Structure formats: structure tokens, C-alpha cells
């Protein structure tokens, strides 16, 4: 039985990866932060009482800002594979908490690598680092692959750049099996509620259910390469099963604007919207409602308004990935289309809200 340690186990990707590794027969240890309210909603279905014999999913309190804690957990759990998913992962919030973001997303990775080295586990333990397409920043080449230069545009991306190179340096300096997955945006019904996709699908559900009137958004022109988190968890695992440590882009190769994502999400529930106006004056207006349940919604209702507070000091305008290396060397391919993801997320949020009415 292989043993995995997942940092960031309570996040979107942590939940999908835990499910995957448990299905594959791993003993899975996860690091969760202490918080004053429950933060384990995404993994509660996997929880096993500690008193259960041979529980194969075990949680440990920890934090990437605490070296001694990481050393102790790694020593106790003796992982064959570490998946470092923990991060302050919100790009906009990183402008407000830059020092914390650098500490956790950048130095945190160094702490993890040093812990493995100090414990003399470099030959035993493989490490996956959750690197990101945000590293590309300003669109230098289209599409972006493993050879595209980086130009980070946020404290988050700068911290992740430090982490990316630290992984490569430890691989070269100490022969560690340490790999970067450069993942483009991936979404799901488990996506954090303030990322734009989930913010949209939750608002569409609330507007349809008569619980909210408007959705306030920032830059509608931003383009992202959106895939499904479940597919990307499979890719993370494949990266660590590869014959040698290396860096891989995981992406769909298709890019879509935030505006189009929103249009499609409303359409899932039978609400057609059209956009008019420009810049901060752009609005999303209902042009037709085919679902007869939504009698409170009318043609001409304004359901999307721009709020400049959601603009970023420096934006990443266009992300589109070339995952051909992962196709070729790992046999990895995304299986979900964006319209399937939008339908799954919107229907899930609509069902959740209906259940609570
Ligand atoms: P997420 O849902 O925000 O989850 C982040 C996880 O990190 C949560 O479990 C969070 O704990 C934990 N965490 C935050 N600060 C921590 C700290 N100081 N110490 C220990 N744990 C901490 O993010 P995700 O979407 O699953 O993404 C997983 C990783 O992939 C992140 O590193 C992210 O930057 C990276 N990434 C994500 C994407 C994407 O599109 N999703 C793309 C590329 C890279 P709480 O639950 O307590 O907050
Ligand atoms: O959903 P977002 O917040 O994701 P972003 O910034 O692309 O970052 C996500 O993907 C990265 C991979 O490329 C990860 F590394 C990172 O951890 C995270 O998971 O924003 C997407 C786009 C941006 O251009 C943003 O300006 O949507 C635009 N946007 C427009 N209105 C908005 C909003 N973003 C948010 N969060 N909220 C808005 O109201």
C-alpha cells in the first residue's frame, strides 16, 4: 500500500485527489488548518473515525507556515508521495495579503522540501508542486507550454514562481523526485465560492430562485482555459507516476471569456442574456426566459453589473494552454468540455438553493 500526504486536503483539488488516491488503494494523510468553523465540508464523506481499525484516510492539523509541524507530520506519516496543494490561492486576495501569500505559497514549499531533506527521505518521497498558469502572466506566447517564459502579475504568481524554481533547484541539487504541474484553471461544484466561475453559477442559481437580483463582476474580457478539477487530479497523480521528475502543463487548449461563461451559465437554466454597453458601463440584460418556473424574471431585467472593485491592479488577460507534453508522456487528456462543466456547476448550485428554500 502506498502512502500519500496531501497538503491543502480541504480544498477543491484536495477533495478530488483524496477520492482518487483512496480508490487506488492508497493510505491518505491530509493536512488541515485549525479554523474556528468547520473547513472539512468537501471531504466529510471520506472521513473515517480515528478509532476505526486501519482507517485509510487520516487528517492532521498543520500549516505551511510552521516548519516543525511539517517535519513532525512527514516523519510520522513516512509518505511515498507528497502532493503540495496548500496555498492562499486567490489572486485578487494576494494583492491584499502579499506577505502572507509569499510566506505560504513561496517559502512554504521550501519548508516542505527541507523537511524531506532533513529527514533523509529524499530517495523515498516524491513531491508534486501545485504550480499554476498564473506564472505566464502577460501573454507572451499563445498557447502557453512548458517552454513559454514566465511574467507573473500578482503577489500570488510571484510566490508561486519562487516555489516553481525551488522545486527544480532541489531536483537538480539533491536528486529529489520533485515535479511541477503547471495547471490551468480547473473548476467543479467544489470550487471556492469567490472564484469567478462558482461566483457566477451560484448567482445564476440564486437569481433564478428569486433570492438575488444582480451579479456584480469585474473584468468580463479576461479569457481562461477552464477544465474540470477531477481530470486535473488524475493528471497530478500521473505526474508522480512518471519515470522521472519533470514539469508538465495540464490544460484543455480552449479559452473562453468570463462574459461567455456567464452567458452559458444563465442559458443552462433557460435564461437568455445579452450584453450591452462598454467597460464599466457594460450590463447583462435578460432577453428571454424559456423556463416558465421563473415568473419573477422579465425581459429587460439587468442581471449583471460591473463593479470596479473586482478589477485587479495587474490582470492576466489571456490564458490558453498546450498540454501536448502531458498527452504524449503521461497519456493525460481532459475528459470534460466547458459546457458540461458549466451545466454541472449551475445545476448543482440550483439544486442546493432549492433544497434550502
Ligand atoms: P483551494 O480550494 O483554495 O484550496 C487551498 C487549500 O490550501 C485549502 O485546503 C486551504 O485550507 C489550504 N491552505 C491555505 N493556506 C494554508 C496554510 N497556510 N497552511 C496549510 N494549508 C493552507 O485551492 P484549489 O483550487 O484546490 O487549488 C489547489 C492548489 O492548486 C493551490 O495551491 C492553488 O494555488 C493551485 N492551483 C489551482 C488552480 C485551479 O484552477 N484550481 C490552478 C493552478 C494551480 P482551508 O480549506 O482551511 O482554507
Ligand atoms: O476565478 P478567478 O479568481 O481565477 P484566477 O485569477 O484565474 O486564478 C485561479 O486560477 C489560477 C490558474 O490560472 C490558479 F493558480 C489560482 O489559484 C486560481 O485558482 O478569476 C478569473 C478571471 C480573472 O481574470 C478575473 O479578473 O475572472 C476575472 N473576474 C471578473 N470578475 C473575476 C470577477 N474574478 C473573480 N474572482 N471575481 C469576479 O467578480
Amino acid at each position: 500500500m502506498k502512502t500519500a500526504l496531501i497538503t491543502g486536503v480541504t480544498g477543491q483539488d484536495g477533495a478530488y485527489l483524496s477520492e482518487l488516491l483512496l480508490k487506488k488503494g492508497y493510505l491518505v494523510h491530509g493536512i488541515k488548518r485549525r479554523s474556528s468553523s468547520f473547513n472539512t465540508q468537501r471531504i466529510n464523506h471520506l472521513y473515517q473515525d480515528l478509532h476505526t481499525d486501519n482507517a485509510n484516510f487520516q487528517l492532521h492539523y498543520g500549516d505551511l507556515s510552521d516548519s516543525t509541524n511539517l517535519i513532525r507530520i512527514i516523519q510520522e506519516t513516512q509518505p511515498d508521495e507528497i502532493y503540495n496543494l496548500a496555498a492562499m490561492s486567490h489572486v485578487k486576495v494576494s494583492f491584499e495579503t502579499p506577505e502572507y501569500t509569499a510566506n505560504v505559497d513561496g517559502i512554504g514549499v521550501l519548508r516542505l522540501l527541507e523537511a524531506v531533506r532533513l529527514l533523509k527521505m529524499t530517495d523515498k518521497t516524491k513531491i508534486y508542486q501545485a504550480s499554476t498558469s498564473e506564472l505566464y502572466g502577460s501573454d507572451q506566447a499563445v498557447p502557453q507550454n512548458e517552454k513559454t517564459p514566465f511574467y507573473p502579475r500578482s503577489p500570488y504568481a510571484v510566490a508561486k514562481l519562487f516555489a516553481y524554481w525551488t522545486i527544480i533547484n532541489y531536483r537538480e541539487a539533491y536528486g529529489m523526485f520533485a515535479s511541477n504541474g503547471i495547471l490551468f484553471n480547473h473548476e467543479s461544484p467544489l470550487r471556492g465560492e469567490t472564484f469567478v466561475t462558482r461566483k457566477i453559477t451560484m448567482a445564476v442559481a440564486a437569481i433564478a430562485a428569486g433570492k438575488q437580483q444582480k451579479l456584480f463582476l469585474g473584468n468580463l474580457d479576461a479569457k481562461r482555459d477552464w477544465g474540470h478539477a477531477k481530470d486535473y487530479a488524475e493528471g497530478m497523480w500521473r505526474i508522480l507516476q512518471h519515470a522521472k521528475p519533470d514539469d508538465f502543463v495540464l490544460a484543455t487548449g480552449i479559452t473562453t471569456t468570463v462574459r461567455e461563461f456567464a452567458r452559458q451559465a444563465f442559458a443552462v437554466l433557460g435564461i437568455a442574456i445579452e450584453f450591452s454597453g462598454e467597460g464599466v458601463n457594460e450590463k447583462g440584460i435578460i432577453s428571454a426566459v424559456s423556463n416558465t418556473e421563473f415568473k419573477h424574471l422579465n425581459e429587460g431585467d439587468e442581471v449583471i453589473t460591473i463593479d470596479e472593485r473586482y478589477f485587479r491592479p495587474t490582470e492576466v488577460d489571456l490564458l490558453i494552454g498546450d498540454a501536448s507534453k502531458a498527452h504524449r508522456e503521461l497519456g493525460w487528456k481532459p475528459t470534460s468540455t466547458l459546457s458540461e462543466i458549466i451545466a454541472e456547476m449551475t445545476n448543482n448550485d440550483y439544486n442546493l438553493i432549492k433544497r434550502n428554500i
Side-chain angles (χ1 to χ4, degrees):
M1 184 193 259
K2 276 198 198 169
T3 301
L5 174 64
I6 304 177
T7 74
V9 73
T10 55
Q12 169 190 253
D13 292 4
Y16 282 109
L17 184 65
S18 298
E19 270 182 21
L20 180 82
L21 297 182
L22 287 169
K23 266 196 211 126
K24 290 187 184 294
Y26 277 64
L27 167 60
V28 177
H29 293 278
I31 298 185
K32 66 167 178 172
R33 295 194 288 181
R34 193 271 157 184
S35 86
S36 65
S37 46
F38 287 117
N39 59 359
T40 51
Q41 296 89 327
R42 294 185 178 103
I43 49 171
N44 280 342
H45 61 295
L46 304 175
Y47 178 77
Q48 292 163 1
D49 192 305
L50 275 183
H51 307 97
T52 315
D53 284 342
N54 304 321
N56 57 1
F57 185 64
Q58 300 178 18
L59 297 180
H60 309 259
Y61 283 110
D63 199 296
L64 277 203
S65 61
D66 182 342
S67 308
T68 55
N69 155 265
L70 295 175
I71 294 169
R72 183 179 49 73
I73 294 173
I74 293 171
Q75 187 172 36
E76 281 173 11
T77 58
Q78 292 286 309
D80 301 298
E81 296 171 8
I82 297 178
Y83 294 86
N84 182 39
L85 311 185
M88 200 310 287
S89 70
H90 202 284
V91 174
K92 177 72 175 10
V93 174
S94 78
F95 288 97
E96 278 143 49
T97 58
E99 184 182 338
Y100 174 76
T101 305
N103 188 11
V104 172
D105 299 14
I107 311 285
V109 179
L110 183 73
R111 292 189 183 101
L112 210 50
L113 288 160
E114 271 299 292
V116 171
R117 207 166 74 82
L118 289 170
L119 292 166
K120 304 203 183 321
M121 290 171 64
T122 48
D123 291 339
K124 172 182 169 67
T125 307
K126 298 179 182 180
I127 301 179
Y128 171 87
Q129 165 58 15
S131 285
T132 165
S133 51
E134 281 290 306
L135 293 172
Y136 297 116
S138 289
D139 42 310
Q140 309 232 343
V142 174
Q144 294 109 23
N145 64 25
E146 294 80 1
K147 294 202 163 73
T148 307
F150 296 136
Y151 192 134
R153 298 264 287 167
S154 62
Y156 167 79
V158 173
K160 287 278 188 177
L161 186 70
F162 175 89
Y164 171 89
W165 280 113
T166 304
I167 286 284
I168 294 175
N169 182 240
Y170 273 59
R171 181 160 87 210
E172 292 174 354
Y174 307 116
M176 291 173 74
F177 194 116
S179 299
N180 286 292
I182 307 169
L183 271 50
F184 283 63
N185 299 49
H186 42 279
E187 317 297 315
S188 74
L190 300 184
R191 185 56 144 152
E193 298 172 0
T194 59
F195 296 99
V196 78
T197 55
R198 187 78 197 286
K199 179 173 166 182
I200 292 171
T201 59
M202 286 177 67
V204 168
I207 290 168
K211 293 270 171 196
Q212 183 175 327
Q213 283 187 325
K214 266 191 195 176
L215 164 61
F216 292 93
L217 290 173
N219 179 11
L220 298 181
D221 290 320
K223 289 182 162 176
R224 288 293 181 272
D225 178 332
W226 281 299
H228 198 297
K230 202 171 184 179
D231 285 337
Y232 289 58
E234 169 74 26
M236 292 173 198
W237 176 75
R238 289 189 185 214
I239 287 172
L240 286 198
Q241 310 317 306
H242 194 47
K244 61 181 176 58
D246 202 351
D247 309 314
F248 292 93
V249 161
L250 300 184
T252 70
I254 297 169
T255 196
T256 308
T257 59
V258 170
R259 182 185 295 102
E260 176 58 15
F261 187 104
R263 195 194 62 72
Q264 286 194 34
F266 275 101
V268 169
L269 296 185
I271 306 163
I273 59 165
E274 279 173 7
F275 288 88
S276 64
E278 280 187 17
V280 291
N281 296 316
E282 186 167 354
K283 296 173 190 330
I285 291 171
I286 295 182
S287 56
V289 183
S290 59
N291 190 328
T292 49
E293 262 182 68
F294 307 144
K295 300 208 186 318
H296 58 289
L297 295 178
N298 299 300
E299 206 176 305
D301 287 353
E302 181 179 325
V303 282
I304 296 180
T305 300
I306 303 300
D307 182 339
E308 290 179 64
R309 277 175 292 196
Y310 296 113
F311 291 159
R312 293 162 185 197
T314 39
E315 174 65 287
V316 173
D317 296 319
L318 165 67
L319 291 174
I320 175 165
D322 165 12
S324 48
K325 181 177 170 187
H327 296 175
R328 207 172 46 245
E329 297 189 19
L330 307 175
W332 179 85
K333 268 193 177 174
T335 62
S336 295
T337 64
L338 182 59
S339 20
E340 287 166 351
I341 298 168
I342 296 175
E344 183 189 357
M345 291 175 70
T346 309
N347 287 324
N348 174 73
D349 283 326
Y350 187 59
N351 291 335
L352 283 178
I353 211 160
K354 290 291 273 185
R355 233 179 282 148
N356 292 326
I357 284 178

